[in-house]
Amino acid sequence: MTPPVLEVQDLSISFGGLKAVAGFGLTLRPGALEGLIGPNGAGKTTVFNLLSGVYTADSGRFVLDGADLRGFSAYRISHAGIARTFQNIRVFSHLTVLENVLVGFHQSIRYGYWDAFLLTGRFRNDEAAMEQQALALLERVGLASRAGDNARDLPYGDQRRLEIARALATHPKVLLLDEPAAGLNTVEKEQLMGLIAKIRDEFKVAILVIEHDMKLVMGICERITVLDHGEVIATGTPKEIQSNPKVIEAYLGVS
Amino acid sequence: MSAPSQNAGFLKQATITAVFIAVLWGVDQLLQIGLNPYYVRVVVNCGIAAILALSLNLINGCAGQFSLGHAGFMAVGAYVSATLTTVYPAGEFFQSPLGVGVAITIGGIVAALAGYLVGLPSLRLKGDYLAIVTLGFSEMIRVCFLNIPAVGGARGMNGIPVHSSFFWVYLWAALAWVFFWRLLRSGRGRAILALRDDETAAEAMGVEVSHFKVVSFSLSSAFAGIAGGLFAHYQGFIDPQSFDFSRSVLVVIMVVLGGMGSLSGAVLGAVVVTVLPESLRVFESYRLIIFPLVLILMMLLRPKGILGHREIWEFFPRRAK
Ligand SMILES: Nc1ncnc2c1ncn2[C@@H]1O[C@H](COP(=O)(O)OP(=O)(O)OP(=O)(O)O)[C@@H](O)[C@H]1O
Ligand SMILES: [Mg+2]
């Protein structure tokens, strides 16, 4: 079996007295497409915040390709290869759609300030190449026609896809998607899930997706982890999860 | 891209630069012959103000920070360059026009270092709190100069060689424009603009936010320092009062009035804030009331500044190609 690209062990964080995440563990193999589900307030977004360096875990570790990243700041985790989107959309609202994706290419920039100031060939070549790659990413998520528009003028669904393109620009090994289908209608949701599966295949990236719609998650994810009150209550294939009494209890709210 | 076209691009840039310098020099000569010295003074002050506004725009308009201490960096540039040319002239060199240019550049570099130090609190503070800290820093700088007898203390410095002129001020202003324009259209500039919109997202995209905040402060202060040097060597005289709180406020007004984040807006704001009090001189001391009233009125009419976030030419419909 291939070694895992991401291995999370015993990750915990408390806010004041509240244990938001306790003893979280997960293993992602390269190219995996897995789901993270759980009732509202279960701690799903907090897990993403820990894995992307927005918060630093109180204890535990998460190892990406052999390097423990706990305690790293967010930009270094991004450089290492974990990218994410946000549940509460965070596009750069005053930048254009294209510029948003170009920011994602930040760490690929090789030219210096002087190149930019003197408009050297190196600067022009690098910028032209990045722009082409950015346009290709926008094409991939279906936003190429809106490249020149301000990001804040896009409908929410498009802003979420823009966040996906922007995250892919960082060349991630692991992509964390926080409710990418929120606010979409049923047809759009299915299209988006199809897109996510294709992205996994084309970019050879492992994807962990948070989604409330059970049917959708069950449809595309190979494995699912269920959180409740900050703790993992089940992990397994969609089939196993569906028939797990603990999961049913958590979702029916019998506690 | 092939080598010849790169060379062609370089040649084109060099030609444009040469023509620009020639035109600037020609206009300078004409102004000296043709225009009332009072008007020349106003025009030159506009250029200095434009450099100040363009540079502050990087911090307050582009990086989304709030500095209220630009006069402090201007003071550093002014005092450092004037000290080199006046108090401890390193030989004849610093008295020559070229030497003055070098001194002004050194003043800019020292101001950049000061900007780096003042930028550090921006890593922890935001908005009003940051504004108060930057204000405190600039007042500290001013009080330092006030208490150094070698640079004249409260009396200030006299006899600074007057070697800055319309030509030099506008050459530096053009350089500032090109510098900030190209910076903002590069990857580093995009990183700065991104952190203004959303620090968390910028950091998640691999942008080291703390680095770019401090860089914004340093680059901005460098040009504030240069503006200070030009100011000192145009007036021939400086004192600590030239760099007090009110000057910082005026530069903030220029940026806010023109439209935050817009380079042409910063220049426009600089011109309005410089020319308006002059054109109100007919009202004598009433202008002290009329000037703020006009500013308030303008902000009421256009709360996002005259140009908003946009550049001036974006207001004109583009010709169809
Ligand atoms: N910065 C914070 N400070 C205090 N409490 C927090 C913080 N972040 C999250 N929490 C708390 O941690 C718990 C888990 O929140 P989290 O956002 O991770 O839930 P979630 O599973 O993503 O929920 P949803 O499905 O509503 O998005 C909640 O009780 C929340 O109030
Ligand atoms: Mg959430």
Side-chain angles (χ1 to χ4, degrees):
Chain A
M1 242 173 138
T2 47
V5 58
L6 178 69
E7 200 162 16
V8 186
Q9 286 169 356
D10 212 24
L11 220 52
S12 306
I13 189 169
S14 313
F15 298 110
L18 176 85
K19 272 203 162 254
V21 173
F24 181 84
L26 176 98
T27 304
L28 273 187
R29 305 214 167 269
L33 175 46
E34 302 199 359
L36 181 61
I37 66 172
N40 286 109
K44 305 179 295 293
T45 298
T46 306
V47 167
F48 276 19
N49 282 337
L50 292 174
L51 294 180
S52 61
V54 174
Y55 302 144
T56 301
D58 298 334
S59 63
R61 47 194 230 123
F62 61 104
V63 179
L64 183 81
D65 265 351
D68 185 2
L69 300 182
R70 185 173 77 97
F72 278 42
S73 47
Y75 82 94
R76 290 183 66 192
I77 290 179
S78 161
H79 291 202
I82 299 180
R84 70 171 294 182
T85 65
F86 295 89
Q87 180 177 358
N88 50 336
I89 300 171
R90 284 176 178 273
V91 295
F92 304 121
S93 50
H94 293 93
L95 300 190
T96 66
V97 170
L98 179 67
E99 285 167 339
N100 265 267
V101 181
L102 287 173
V103 174
F105 282 109
H106 184 75
Q107 58 198 293
S108 319
I109 294 173
R110 292 287 162 267
Y111 60 78
Y113 285 95
W114 287 109
D115 292 300
F117 186 46
L118 299 173
L119 298 184
T120 61
R122 188 176 180 180
F123 169 78
R124 291 168 199 246
N125 291 344
D126 283 11
E127 280 286 303
M130 271 195 298
E131 201 172 308
Q132 241 173 19
Q133 286 174 285
L135 280 170
L137 283 175
L138 285 174
E139 184 84 53
R140 195 66 207 83
V141 300
L143 287 175
S145 62
R146 310 218 53 180
D149 297 346
N150 267 330
R152 60 168 170 214
D153 296 335
L154 297 184
Y156 283 137
D158 288 356
Q159 293 193 8
R160 289 194 188 280
R161 279 186 293 154
L162 173 56
E163 279 205 10
I164 296 176
R166 187 178 71 173
L168 285 171
T170 67
H171 301 297
K173 294 170 189 158
V174 173
L175 179 58
L176 310 171
L177 302 176
D178 198 344
E179 303 199 17
L184 300 184
N185 65 36
T186 324
V187 180
E188 290 171 329
K189 273 189 183 179
E190 270 171 13
Q191 283 173 348
L192 184 75
M193 288 298 157
L195 175 69
I196 290 171
K198 273 191 209 146
I199 284 173
R200 183 269 305 262
D201 297 338
E202 283 173 30
F203 293 85
K204 311 261 178 284
V205 58
I207 298 179
L208 183 62
V209 55
I210 298 176
E211 173 52 50
H212 276 290
D213 190 325
M214 286 287 230
K215 233 183 74 201
L216 284 178
V217 185
M218 301 276 174
I220 64 162
C221 294
E222 295 131 12
R223 290 179 65 82
I224 291 169
T225 300
V226 189
L227 267 185
D228 191 26
H229 296 301
E231 292 185 40
V232 176
I233 57 168
T235 327
T237 62
K239 259 219 172 89
E240 291 164 0
I241 295 298
Q242 247 166 343
S243 52
N244 187 314
K246 274 194 190 166
V247 178
I248 297 168
E249 194 183 296
Y251 269 88
L252 293 180
V254 191
S255 55
Chain B
M1 208 182 271
S2 61
S5 82
Q6 268 178 40
N7 288 340
F10 184 73
L11 217 64
K12 197 174 141 198
Q13 279 193 59
T15 314
I16 293 174
T17 311
V19 170
F20 179 78
I21 290 175
V23 169
L24 213 53
W25 189 80
V27 174
D28 192 354
Q29 299 304 308
L30 285 179
L31 286 181
Q32 283 181 27
I33 311 164
L35 196 63
N36 177 332
Y38 163 72
Y39 289 119
V40 176
R41 184 158 287 273
V42 174
V43 170
V44 171
N45 283 338
C46 280
I48 293 173
I51 300 174
L52 287 170
L54 280 170
S55 57
L56 185 68
N57 180 53
L58 185 69
I59 300 177
N60 287 23
C62 303
Q65 308 299 300
F66 198 133
S67 170
L68 201 48
H70 226 47
F73 305 123
M74 191 185 174
V76 171
Y79 271 95
V80 168
S81 60
T83 303
L84 284 171
T85 57
T86 315
V87 185
Y88 303 111
E92 303 270 285
F93 173 68
F94 276 121
Q95 308 267 350
S96 69
L98 180 68
V100 167
V102 172
I104 289 174
T105 308
I106 293 174
I109 293 168
V110 178
L113 294 175
Y116 175 84
L117 293 178
V118 178
L120 292 177
S122 74
L123 306 180
R124 301 197 150 267
L125 301 170
K126 283 191 201 328
D128 309 348
Y129 301 101
L130 181 59
I132 290 167
V133 169
T134 53
L135 166 64
F137 261 107
S138 85
E139 283 296 289
M140 260 167 57
I141 290 170
R142 193 174 65 82
V143 172
C144 279
F145 289 127
L146 196 61
N147 289 295
I148 301 177
V151 294
R155 279 177 296 110
M157 286 170 84
N158 276 304
I160 302 170
V162 178
H163 276 309
S164 101
S165 59
F166 171 86
F167 175 77
W168 287 109
V169 167
Y170 278 82
L171 193 62
W172 275 107
L175 192 71
W177 173 281
V178 173
F179 181 86
F180 289 114
W181 181 262
R182 293 190 177 173
L183 173 69
L184 291 172
R185 269 144 201 80
S186 76
R188 320 291 155 128
R190 280 193 300 269
I192 289 171
L193 292 166
L195 84 86
R196 167 189 70 188
D197 279 357
D198 194 318
E199 281 186 25
T200 305
E203 189 94 12
M205 290 302 112
V207 174
E208 190 183 354
V209 166
S210 53
H211 170 79
F212 283 99
K213 282 186 183 173
V214 176
V215 161
S216 306
F217 266 92
S218 307
L219 295 179
S220 170
S221 308
F223 278 93
I226 282 163
L230 290 168
F231 173 79
H233 292 85
Y234 185 68
Q235 306 273 323
F237 163 78
I238 50 173
D239 62 1
Q241 284 86 283
S242 316
F243 310 104
D244 65 359
F245 175 53
S246 66
R247 186 176 293 273
S248 292
V249 173
L250 278 180
V251 185
V252 172
I253 292 174
M254 292 171 197
V255 173
V256 175
L257 188 71
M260 304 266 261
S262 158
L263 294 194
S264 43
V267 173
L268 191 62
V271 172
V272 170
V273 171
T274 311
V275 172
L276 201 57
E278 300 294 338
S279 59
L280 294 175
R281 274 191 198 279
V282 284
F283 298 107
E284 293 174 1
S285 56
Y286 288 111
R287 74 196 163 97
L288 297 177
I289 301 169
I290 297 172
F291 176 54
L293 277 180
V294 173
L295 292 179
I296 291 169
L297 205 67
M298 288 173 108
M299 287 321 287
L300 285 176
L301 291 174
R302 291 194 73 89
K304 286 189 170 171
I306 301 174
L307 300 184
H309 278 293
R310 299 194 280 174
E311 296 297 343
I312 197 161
W313 47 90
E314 290 169 32
F315 286 83
F316 304 104
R318 214 167 279 185
R319 272 175 293 143
K321 278 186 184 164

